[in-house]
Amino acid sequence: MTAFSFACTGVRADQYAAGPTLVFRLRVTAGDNARVHALALRCQIRIEPARRGYESAEADGLADLFGERSRWGSTLQPVQFAQVSVMVPSFTGEIETDLVVPCTYDMDIAATRYLTALTDGEVPLLMLFSGTAFTGTGGFQVEPVPWDREAAFRMPVTAWREMVEQHFPGCGWIRLPRDTMDALLAYRSRHALPSWEATVAALLEEGADPPAHDPLRALTATTGRTDP
């Protein structure tokens, strides 16, 4: 069997993608300068949070994922980031190719919450590979890519932030139930508010007077809806 090895040499935000996308540069090496006709590759990417340190502000932002810092010895477990496939073209010995990874800014996703909490430094990633290789010189033979093939990579936090800023400049993201969205839309239309930002600001202002403001309670009180 051909001995394959993998290394990630860099990452960039894809500025032309329709949605948030990172492009990892992947180097694939086939042992003994073997001829590879094609390589159908699968890659699972995990975040390994235990492989870096954290400032106090970062630790506060990660509390909902891993709990208090005193518990991190047992709670700082790997987080699934992505699972993608790529077809590597014909090569002999070694090739570099792009691994395109669509991302999300959905704050309900653990990987997004983790990455958003980081202020600087690098994100420790582990790439796990598998797949099917079509090799041979006179003809071709089919062989698997062993499940133990992997590559570690430290992605700069700036790459993630640059990608987010391209698609959501200066913005956050929140997912709401459909009935809550309908209530927000009705409130916005009724008050002729020009944007969602103005809509939320108006609700916050309305709810700020009695003792402590609760945006959702202010929303339901104004629209007559009940809590979802």
Side-chain angles (χ1 to χ4, degrees), residues 85-106:
S85 299
V86 61
M87 181 62 73
V88 181
S90 174
F91 68 96
T92 299
E94 185 174 281
I95 191 174
E96 287 199 0
T97 189
D98 286 340
L99 183 67
V100 179
V101 179
C103 301
T104 177
Y105 196 33
D106 185 345

Side-chain angles (χ1 to χ4, degrees), residues 114-162:
Y114 174 86
L115 291 163
T116 302
L118 303 184
T119 58
D120 202 0
E122 297 172 326
V123 183
L125 300 177
L126 182 65
M127 298 178 166
L128 306 171
F129 299 97
S130 62
T132 303
F134 302 89
T135 63
T137 50
F140 75 88
Q141 60 187 34
V142 180
E143 54 184 273
V145 176
W147 283 88
D148 62 352
R149 303 295 91 179
E150 61 183 43
F153 179 65
R154 301 189 75 85
M155 179 180 73
V157 173
T158 52
W160 168 264
R161 293 193 174 279
E162 178 186 346

